[in-house]
Every structure is written in C-alpha cells, then in structure tokens.
Amino acid sequence: MRGHGSDGPTQWSSGICACFDDMQSCCVGLSCPCLLFGKNAEFLGSGTLIGSCMTHFVLWALFNSLCCLLTDGVFLPLPGCFVACYACGYRRALRSKYNLQEAPCGDFVTHFCCHLCAICQEYREIRERSGDITHPDLKLAVVTAPPVQTMESVSVE
C-alpha cells in the first residue's frame, strides 16, 4: 500500500526479492547487470547508458576478477564496496524522485548485500512509475509460430 502526499515515504511497487515477477529484466539483470544499471542511470538523468554501463562493468566484473585472482579471494568483498558506493547514489536518487522508503535497509547495505536484486528492483520501479510496461529498452527477439501448420504430401510420378 502506498502512502499519499505528506504521509511519509511510499513503498516500493515490488520487493527486493521479486526478480522473478519480471523474467525479462531478471534475465538481463543477472546476465548483464551493467546494461540494466546503465538503463536505470540513464532514466534518472545521472549518466549516459554507455558511461554508466562501462563504469559498472569496471567496478563489478573487472575488480571482482582481479581481487579474486590476485588475492585468492581474500579481498573479494572489496569490489562489492566499490560498486555499492557507486550504485547507492542512484538508488538514493530514485528514492528521492518517487519518495520511496529506504527499504529493506540502507541504500549502501542493499547494494552491498543484494546488488543484482537491487538493480532489478530499481528497473521495475522505474518501469512501473513511468507507466511503461512494454519494456521498450529491453527488446528481445520474439518468434511467433503460424496459427495453423499443415504438411501436405506430394505425389511423385
């Protein structure tokens, strides 16, 4: 249930763990989180798709790989801190734009512990609040079979 006017912050339209409610953004968010993050940043006017996407890629994928390889996983939480610091600013901007609760916990902690779920939730919220339920940004190929398929035998003479 959403609050009204000065009743305080409103609830998110979906929970942090509701990724499977929107399979398309879930699949994109899990396979290429930098793309979904870039779309969110672009919508908020806080960056360009390519710039935000590349920054996210460097902070997430490159730093994760380097920390894991160079330290045998000892400093694996370090890249999570970098990406959480970067991403929590966008979450804060989204919350401010729509007067959303700081839930399920603080913005930094949400991104540090559940980064992929958080960017999927943010994308769903943007889509829901902007009234765009058709995913124009995440167009995937759709193949539709003909309604009736028949096979005819050909006589060979």
Side-chain angles (χ1 to χ4, degrees):
M1 292 172 258
R2 297 182 185 182
H4 298 286
S6 62
D7 293 342
T10 59
Q11 291 184 1
W12 291 77
S13 62
S14 62
I16 190 80
C17 295
C19 295
F20 295 118
D21 290 353
D22 178 8
M23 287 304 293
Q24 189 173 17
S25 66
C26 177
C27 290
V28 172
L30 293 177
S31 63
C32 189
C34 60
L35 177 64
L36 205 57
F37 182 83
K39 286 290 180 189
N40 292 347
E42 183 180 48
F43 174 81
L44 292 169
S46 303
T48 63
L49 171 65
I50 299 299
S52 298
C53 185
M54 289 308 294
T55 303
H56 183 274
F57 176 77
V58 168
L59 290 175
W60 179 258
L62 192 60
F63 279 7
N64 263 345
S65 300
L66 286 175
C67 281
C68 192
L69 291 172
L70 298 177
T71 67
D72 292 328
V74 173
F75 292 114
L76 194 56
L78 189 61
C81 287
F82 290 131
V83 79
C85 284
Y86 180 60
C88 75
Y90 289 97
R91 187 172 181 87
R92 190 173 308 118
L94 180 65
R95 284 190 316 96
S96 176
K97 181 176 180 74
Y98 294 124
N99 191 30
L100 295 166
Q101 296 174 342
E102 192 171 6
C105 46
D107 298 330
F108 176 82
V109 174
T110 299
H111 271 283
F112 184 76
C113 295
C114 306
H115 178 65
L116 298 178
C117 293
I119 60 175
C120 288
Q121 180 190 34
E122 292 159 12
Y123 180 81
R124 289 190 310 273
E125 193 69 30
I126 289 168
R127 203 187 81 240
E128 172 79 19
R129 299 226 179 211
S130 67
D132 181 11
I133 58 171
T134 59
H135 301 280
D137 303 314
L138 299 176
K139 293 250 189 238
L140 299 176
V142 176
V143 178
T144 306
V148 177
Q149 296 180 1
T150 60
M151 293 181 67
E152 296 178 11
S153 62
V154 178
S155 61
V156 179
E157 292 181 30

